[in-house]
Amino acid sequence: MNFLFYITKQYSIPVIEPIVKFLETENKTTISFFISEKVNNVFPTIWNNYPIYRNFKEIKNNNFDFVIVPGIYVDFRLNGIKVQIFHGLGIEKESHYNIKHFFDVYLTSGPYVTNKFITLREKYKYFLVKETGWSKIDHILNYSKENLKERYNIPKNKNIILYAPTFSNKMESASEIIPNLSKLIHKNELWLVKLHELANKQLIGRLDKINNIKIIDDYDITPYLHISDIMISDISSVVYEFMVLDKPVITYKINQRTDKGINCKNINELRPAIERSYKFPDEYRKKRQRHLQEINPYLDGKISENIIKYLITIKNNDLLPEKRKPINIIRKMKILYHSKVK
C-alpha cells in the first residue's frame, strides 16, 4: 500500500507521527510526504529518506492508495483515497463538522463526533465514517518523559502552569488574561504560554515584560503537556489533549462542557481556581474521564494501528460508496489559486 501524508501546518506533524511509526513496522507499505513551505522549516530529519514533495508538479504523475490529511483541505488533483484524520479535537467548533467535499473517509475520535458525522454521511452519501480515535493521542501517551524538565530547561523547584488559549475572536481569552498575568503569577510558579500562530502580535509583545514566563514557540506542545501541573485555557481543543494525562484544567468563560474542570467567569476567579487545583487535583477526575469517553475513549496507544488496518480493509474490499463527490468548483478553484502550480 502506498501512503501519502499531506501536511500544510507545523502542528500536524505530531498528528501523523504515530501513524508513520506504525507504517514503518509494516511490510509492503510505502510512505511519502507532501509538505508546505511552513512545514518544510521544521520537517523531521528522520523522515528525509522518504520521498518529499513540495508542489503538485513534482507529484502529479504519482498514484497513491491513500492521501492522509490532518487538515480541512487537500489538493483534489492527487490520486488516491483521501482520508481526513483532523488536526485537533475541536469538537465544540462548528468548523469541525464542515463538509468541504474533498474527502472519501472521515476517521473520527469518539462517539460524540462520530454521531454527528454519521448524520452528515446520511445526507451526502459519498463518504465513509469510522471511529478510530485521534492519532495524536498515541503520540501524547507514548511520548518519552525521561528528563523532560532538564531537556526543556524547566526548573524543578517551581509549579508549572500551561496557558494555551485559542485565537478565535469569539472565544479567545488572551485579551483578558495576558494583561493580568503579572498579578496572577506567584513567585513559586513558572507559566508556559503557548499562543496560536495566528494570535494577536501586540499581546505577544506584552509577555516579554512579565517575570516567570516562558513563551513556547515549538510546533509540538506535547512535552509541555507532560511537564505542566495545571492547564489554563478556553475553548481550545488542547484542553482535551491535557485531560488525557489526567491532570486538572481550568477554563475561562466557556459555555460548553463547563464541568471538565473549574470554569472561571471572570479574571478574579482565576487565582482561587489555581489554588484549588493544587489542593484538589483529582476533584474533576471522573468528569474528565466521562468527557473523554465521548470525545476520545481510545487510550491504549493503538489508534494509529486501528487507522491503518481499517484503511487497508477499505482498499481490499472496495468499500467506498459509488456516489461521487459534488463538483465543488469554487473550493477547487481556491486550491488551484493557492497551489504553486496553477
Side-chain angles (χ1 to χ4, degrees):
M1 293 286 181
N2 195 348
F3 293 84
L4 174 70
F5 292 90
Y6 188 93
I7 319 167
T8 60
K9 301 291 186 183
Q10 293 182 2
Y11 53 72
S12 293
I13 292 174
V15 180
I16 68 162
E17 185 263 357
I19 304 178
V20 174
K21 274 189 174 180
F22 179 74
L23 282 174
E24 289 174 333
T25 68
E26 292 288 286
N27 295 322
K28 299 180 181 179
T29 61
T30 61
I31 300 168
S32 304
F33 299 93
F34 184 99
I35 62 175
S36 67
E37 288 185 11
K38 286 184 178 180
V39 174
N40 187 58
N41 297 331
V42 297
F43 191 73
T45 56
I46 58 171
W47 294 341
N48 282 345
N49 58 319
Y50 295 115
I52 302 169
Y53 307 100
R54 294 173 175 83
N55 59 59
F56 183 72
K57 185 177 181 180
E58 296 176 347
I59 202 173
K60 64 180 180 180
N61 295 323
N62 293 62
N63 290 311
F64 303 98
D65 293 300
F66 298 99
V67 181
I68 299 180
V69 186
I72 58 176
Y73 290 100
V74 64
D75 196 318
F76 64 94
R77 297 170 293 177
L78 295 172
N79 295 314
I81 297 171
K82 296 171 181 64
V83 183
Q84 162 70 281
I85 61 172
F86 300 94
H87 70 270
L89 293 170
I91 56 100
E92 281 109 352
K93 298 177 182 178
E94 292 181 8
S95 59
H96 199 74
Y97 312 99
N98 191 348
I99 302 296
K100 299 183 182 296
H101 307 300
F102 287 111
F103 298 101
D104 305 293
V105 182
Y106 288 87
L107 300 183
T108 55
S109 60
Y112 179 82
V113 179
T114 304
N115 290 338
K116 288 181 177 290
F117 272 94
I118 286 174
T119 300
L120 292 167
R121 182 190 64 193
E122 291 171 352
K123 176 181 178 181
Y124 294 110
K125 303 185 187 307
Y126 68 83
F127 56 78
L128 297 176
V129 175
K130 176 67 174 179
E131 183 178 305
T132 58
W134 186 45
S135 57
K136 189 182 176 184
I137 299 301
D138 287 350
H139 175 69
I140 294 170
L141 292 175
N142 295 326
Y143 198 88
S144 174
K145 298 179 281 296
E146 186 177 356
N147 299 321
L148 262 186
K149 288 191 174 182
E150 291 89 341
R151 283 158 53 191
Y152 289 90
N153 196 26
I154 304 296
K156 291 184 176 181
N157 61 341
K158 288 185 180 291
N159 295 322
I160 310 300
I161 295 178
L162 175 60
Y163 176 50
T166 188
F167 73 95
S168 170
N169 289 333
K170 293 181 180 179
M171 309 169 192
E172 62 87 23
S173 60
S175 60
E176 290 188 47
I177 291 179
I178 288 179
N180 288 280
L181 275 183
S182 59
K183 303 173 187 175
L184 288 169
I185 300 173
H186 282 189
K187 291 181 179 180
N188 65 335
E189 294 172 342
L190 176 68
W191 283 48
L192 309 177
V193 180
K194 172 63 173 167
L195 298 180
H196 194 279
E197 62 183 42
L198 299 178
N200 186 311
K201 303 301 181 188
Q202 291 181 337
L203 288 174
I204 297 174
R206 297 187 69 163
L207 293 172
D208 294 332
K209 302 174 183 178
I210 305 174
N211 294 325
N212 287 20
I213 276 184
K214 182 180 177 69
I215 300 173
I216 306 303
D217 56 8
D218 298 3
Y219 65 82
D220 186 7
I221 197 173
T222 304
Y224 304 102
L225 299 179
H226 285 279
I227 288 169
S228 301
D229 302 301
I230 298 169
M231 168 177 277
I232 298 174
S233 189
D234 36 49
I235 202 169
S236 173
S237 64
V238 75
V239 167
Y240 296 111
E241 298 179 37
F242 193 72
M243 285 166 56
V244 166
L245 301 177
D246 195 24
K247 294 192 282 190
V249 299
I250 298 170
T251 53
Y252 192 74
K253 292 186 176 181
I254 64 170
N255 54 20
Q256 296 185 51
R257 297 184 182 269
T258 57
D259 64 345
K260 55 181 175 277
I262 302 172
N263 184 39
C264 298
K265 298 178 182 178
N266 59 65
I267 201 72
N268 294 326
E269 293 181 357
L270 263 178
R271 191 65 231 182
I274 294 168
E275 299 301 332
R276 181 172 157 188
S277 296
Y278 285 144
K279 191 172 183 180
F280 306 108
D282 297 333
E283 181 179 7
Y284 286 82
R285 169 175 283 173
K286 290 185 178 179
K287 292 177 180 178
R288 291 196 297 263
Q289 292 173 342
R290 174 170 55 82
H291 287 297
L292 285 175
Q293 284 300 308
E294 295 181 353
I295 295 163
N296 194 109
Y298 306 96
L299 305 176
D300 60 358
K302 295 183 177 181
I303 292 171
S304 301
E305 178 180 347
N306 295 337
I307 286 173
I308 296 304
K309 287 182 176 178
Y310 174 67
L311 294 181
I312 291 174
T313 299
I314 290 175
K315 188 72 175 180
N316 289 342
N317 295 280
D318 195 22
L319 297 180
L320 287 179
E322 293 184 3
K323 184 173 179 178
R324 294 187 177 183
K325 302 184 188 79
I327 297 175
N328 203 16
I329 293 177
I330 294 176
R331 287 185 175 129
K332 285 180 177 178
M333 291 299 292
K334 288 181 179 180
I335 290 288
L336 293 174
Y337 177 78
H338 290 290
S339 173
K340 288 187 176 182
V341 180
K342 304 294 196 297

